[in-house]
Amino acid sequence: MTEATVIDGKAFAAALRERIGVAAAGFAAQTGRRPGLAVVLVGEDPASQVYVGAKGKACEAAGMASFEHRLPADTSEAALLSLVERLNNDPEVDGILVQLPLPSGLNEQAIIAAINPDKDVDGFHVINAGRLAVGQRGFVPCTPLGCLMLLKDHLGDLSGLEAVVIGRSNIVGKPMAQLLTDANATVTIAHSRTKNLPDVVRRADIVVAAVGRPEMVRGDWIKPGATVIDVGINRLPPEEGKEKGRLVGDVAYGEACAVAGAITPVPGGVGPMTIAVLLRNTLVAAHHNAGMPAPEGL
Ligand code: NDP
């Protein structure tokens, strides 16, 4: 039996980050300033701290300015809104990202709604969701855009392919389905109420799993030769004698490898794309804010 091709998101993301670095240097040479991303972290959530640190480092590595704002967990909504307003008006800041989840008591929707949509590089603002829905230019959430890039790189034209997206969250499933529809795939969105999920998935030439359940999608759900994009990041309980459990996706990787045509691994598949696309969106925002056309080929 042939094994699936492994779609190397890490390598793709590294190449993308390199192109972004070149374009960021060009931007700085033309404008006299680096593209800038402000990242706001409220509270001490350990995973969020890791993500925010990684985003800051990635910015600096790509020749962009990173402005980190770490606020205590008891920050009031008024104080957070006032920081967002300050960043909206700061000409050095092209992109604003408020790391989610926010501590309870802070209204995430209200905070995201306060971000200038043209600086909303996460693509979570309702204006950007609307722009995506009606096919206008706007910011698209980083993870699904990264998945689309990997799919197009591997498959080329997606026209007429059957795609099944498992998960309908606002940050992954829904925008993913929209992007695949815009790329002329025939799209089904599955979720926790979907009946006969294995049969639905068996129809798919493209499977995108964004569920948050370790190894839920089994090998015998996959149509032979299908392309599988595994968005899930799940940590298993630690094995005996180990401090940390293994990271696995939403797809049973070994089983799926024996059937699929191609598959993203976890880690090293979709994960690295998310930060690379965040940098890409920030670079695009910088060009728009400077009244310059966005660079091609990103
Ligand atoms: P959410 O929890 O917001 O959404 C999960 C979706 O999965 C929901 O639509 C839910 O359905 C659906 N679902 C849950 N259980 C089942 C089931 N048994 N059968 C079918 N569908 C089911 O998660 P996110 O979209 O935020 O994230 C999904 C996964 O992707 C997580 O593992 C997360 O860690 C990972 N992730 C990875 C990123 C990366 O950079 N690689 C970035 C973002 C997320 P319903 O709507 O009916 O409840």
Side-chain angles (χ1 to χ4, degrees):
M1 193 175 283
T2 52
E3 281 266 308
T5 303
V6 177
I7 298 177
D8 188 345
K10 202 169 162 191
F12 189 98
L16 177 58
R17 280 167 65 161
E18 199 150 328
R19 294 199 300 279
I20 291 167
V22 171
F27 178 87
Q30 268 184 283
T31 63
R33 70 172 186 89
R34 295 183 293 167
L37 173 67
V39 181
V40 180
L41 172 64
V42 187
E44 320 253 293
D45 179 66
S48 294
Q49 294 199 356
V50 173
Y51 294 145
V52 165
K55 286 166 187 172
K57 275 195 198 130
C59 263
E60 294 290 343
M64 297 189 185
S66 157
F67 308 101
E68 268 183 34
H69 296 267
R70 292 176 184 253
L71 308 178
D74 62 359
T75 299
S76 70
E77 196 164 303
L80 187 51
L81 286 169
S82 134
L83 171 61
V84 168
E85 191 51 29
R86 192 147 57 77
L87 298 173
N88 280 341
N89 294 320
D90 185 340
E92 298 286 308
V93 171
D94 297 296
I96 303 170
L97 179 156
V98 176
Q99 185 66 43
L100 302 180
L102 289 172
S104 57
L106 293 172
N107 180 342
E108 285 185 359
Q109 286 310 317
I111 305 298
I112 291 170
I115 297 174
N116 175 349
D118 295 329
K119 293 191 175 188
D120 167 43
V121 285
D122 252 344
F124 294 167
H125 194 291
V126 75
I127 295 266
N128 282 316
R131 286 170 173 161
L132 178 61
V134 299
Q136 287 178 9
R137 196 188 69 190
F139 289 111
V140 176
C142 303
T143 301
L145 185 52
C147 293
L148 185 78
M149 287 179 181
L150 293 179
L151 280 167
K152 284 191 164 169
D153 182 61
H154 182 68
L155 290 169
D157 185 9
L158 309 185
S159 290
L161 296 179
E162 286 271 352
V164 172
V165 179
I166 319 174
R168 56 175 165 180
S169 71
N170 289 334
I171 63 170
V172 189
K174 278 185 204 156
M176 186 74 246
Q178 192 74 55
L179 288 169
L180 286 164
T181 306
D182 291 348
N184 300 317
T186 302
V187 182
T188 302
I189 306 179
H191 45 75
S192 66
R193 311 288 176 90
T194 298
K195 291 196 175 123
N196 304 324
L197 183 59
D199 284 342
V200 172
V201 175
R202 271 182 208 114
R203 296 204 300 258
D205 304 305
I206 295 169
V207 182
V208 180
V211 185
R213 289 184 182 256
E215 302 177 324
M216 184 187 84
V217 177
R218 309 310 307 187
D220 65 357
W221 298 19
I222 309 287
K223 173 168 152 179
T227 302
V228 179
I229 304 290
D230 191 351
V231 182
I233 303 178
N234 310 288
R235 196 170 285 284
L236 295 179
E239 287 162 30
E240 217 177 284
K242 297 251 168 84
E243 215 173 280
K244 273 186 176 177
R246 243 174 359 107
L247 277 186
V248 296
D250 291 341
V251 179
Y253 185 76
E255 291 177 20
C257 267
V259 192
I263 187 166
T264 57
V266 177
V270 173
M273 291 301 293
T274 299
I275 288 190
V277 176
L278 175 67
L279 299 178
R280 179 232 172 245
N281 283 356
T282 303
L283 184 71
V284 170
H287 282 77
H288 290 166
N289 295 340
M292 291 157 62
E296 305 263 323
L298 296 174

